[in-house]
Structure formats: C-alpha cells, structure tokens
Amino acid sequence: EAQVTQNPRYLITVTGKKLTVTCSQNMNHEYMSWYRQDPGLGLRQIYYSMNVEVTDKGDVPEGYKVSRKEKRNFPLILESPSPNQTSLYFCASSLGQASSYNEQFFGPGTRLTVL
Amino acid sequence: ILNVEQSPQSLHVQEGDSTNFTCSFPSSNFYALHWYRWETAKSPEALFVMTLNGDEKKKGRISATLNTKEGYSYLYIKGSQPEDSATYLCAFPPDSWGKLQFGAGTQVVVTP
C-alpha cells in the first residue's frame, strides 16, 4: 500500500531532550516536506527536500534540523526542544515540487508535547 | 507571513444545501493552487491541484474554479452531506522550487 509513515504518533518529552521524528514513504517520491499545525495558523512548512542530499528551509525552520540521506526517509530532528514546539507535525511527499501538478501525500501526523 | 487567506473561517450547512468558500492568493508569479480536505483525526488528502487560469475541476459533488489574474479560487459543495464535514485547506507555492504555503482553512459542518 502506498503510504507515508511517521513515528512516533504521540510523544511527550521535556525541554532540551533531543528527539527525532521519522518519516518514510514507499512511493519513490522525489519531494518530501515537514509541516507543523497550530490552531488558527494552518499548516506551516518547516523544511522540504527536493531530492537526496537537497534540503531547504520552509517558513518556520528555527529549532529544527532535517536530513535526506535516502530517498524514502526524511527525519525531523529537534536538538533542544522547547515548549513552543508543542504542535501537531505532518510529513508529506510528492512526485515533484509543489509548484507543478504534484499533490502532497500526508503521513498520519505526530502529536508532540514539550513540557 | 500568511499569503494565502481563506474565508469564511467556518460554515454551518444544512444537509442537502449547497455552499462555497474562497481561497485568496497573490496574483503575481502564479504556479499552482492546491485544495485539500482534512477530516478530524485524519490526515489532509488532496482534492485538486490547479495550474491554469479558468481551470475548473470536479470530484463528485465537489468542484473548484481558479482565477489567477485576480488571485482567488472557489470551492463548491453541491448538495452537502454529513460526510462532507471537514476542514478544507488551500495551498499556494510562492516560488517555483519547493515552498508551499497553506491557508488556515475553512471548517465545514454539515448537519442532518
């Protein structure tokens, strides 16, 4: 089944404790992206990747890191999480960049709480 | 900065009624306009990706139109059903590379 998977689905952690949220897709998609969703603000893009070893900042990259060592995986790293990073996070992938006909396929979401 | 605006923020619709709502975006440097449907406790799912001025797309009872010159898109739901209850998101790529900006969404509640 074609899908985007994220782990963990739920995470409660404490300020400053490094964490990684994994994202994997099995559709051979070139493009992957991370978003956070906060009430009233819609989905905001954190980072995106056009291909292996090619990543770039979205609108809210501060406090996050990503890597794209393999085409299928795009982990999101919070080196020192803070309470303002408490949010619902979505990973998405598509055949190519969003500026053309490429719809995004979303993962199930990761709800992160930073105490 | 949110360049994509959606209105209204929420809609309550009686079952069987039709409704529509708007997505506004910058009319310069247009590349594409995405519509997604997001049901509670699920992930957003793509409805349409539109790239041409005047484009009209349809999926079942849901359709969308696009005006790139004036910077807006309408989403229509004909004969709303309770299963149409969801938040509808539009998204706009501000460049030709990889950025994608989402509106805050229009929450539609269809009551029987």
Side-chain angles (χ1 to χ4, degrees):
Chain A
E1 180 191 355
Q3 60 183 346
V4 179
T5 56
Q6 291 179 230
N7 283 292
R9 295 288 312 280
Y10 302 91
L11 179 61
I12 300 174
T13 188
V14 295
T15 299
K17 187 176 181 182
K18 181 180 177 179
L19 66 94
T20 300
V21 184
T22 64
C23 173
S24 184
Q25 50 92 6
N26 62 2
M27 295 172 278
N28 201 36
H29 283 170
E30 303 277 341
Y31 177 96
M32 297 184 75
S33 185
W34 275 102
Y35 302 90
R36 61 179 287 175
Q37 199 276 327
D38 302 291
L41 293 179
L43 289 166
R44 292 183 292 166
Q45 193 175 42
I46 304 170
Y47 269 95
Y48 61 91
S49 170
M50 295 298 292
N51 211 326
V52 175
E53 302 293 1
V54 181
T55 63
D56 211 341
K57 296 176 181 179
D59 287 330
V60 288
E62 295 78 20
Y64 304 95
K65 284 174 58 176
V66 292
S67 68
R68 187 95 181 270
K69 294 187 170 61
E70 307 163 284
K71 198 172 188 178
R72 63 184 293 125
N73 296 324
F74 189 45
L76 179 70
I77 303 155
L78 284 72
E79 294 268 3
S80 183
S82 62
N84 64 12
Q85 292 178 297
T86 293
S87 189
L88 177 61
Y89 291 86
F90 285 103
C91 178
S93 72
S94 61
L95 274 171
Q97 67 264 40
S99 57
S100 64
Y101 256 103
N102 297 297
E103 64 183 75
Q104 305 279 292
F105 292 83
F106 285 85
T110 295
R111 187 164 291 281
L112 172 66
T113 301
V114 183
L115 301 175
Chain B
I1 298 173
L2 202 62
N3 292 316
V4 185
E5 295 185 359
Q6 292 187 246
S7 64
Q9 204 170 4
S10 64
L11 273 175
H12 286 256
V13 186
Q14 207 60 28
E15 183 177 356
D17 288 351
S18 297
T19 189
N20 65 85
F21 37 93
T22 312
C23 173
S24 301
F25 51 86
S27 56
S28 58
N29 296 326
F30 179 83
Y31 299 99
L33 194 282
H34 299 225
W35 280 103
Y36 293 85
R37 170 193 162 89
W38 187 10
E39 291 180 73
T40 303
K42 293 188 178 180
S43 307
E45 289 185 347
L47 284 171
F48 311 112
V49 181
M50 308 168 80
T51 59
L52 298 174
N53 184 43
D55 217 0
E56 291 188 28
K57 299 266 190 183
K58 188 174 180 183
K59 186 180 279 190
R61 291 177 291 95
I62 301 176
S63 60
T65 60
L66 179 66
N67 184 322
T68 62
K69 295 187 188 312
E70 295 182 41
Y72 65 84
S73 175
Y74 289 132
L75 194 84
Y76 299 89
I77 305 176
K78 185 177 176 181
S80 304
Q81 299 297 307
E83 58 264 31
D84 295 327
S85 296
T87 296
Y88 292 83
L89 302 169
C90 68
F92 174 78
D95 58 40
S96 62
W97 194 232
K99 280 193 173 179
L100 189 61
Q101 292 183 335
F102 281 80
T106 293
Q107 184 183 26
V108 175
V109 177
V110 182
T111 49

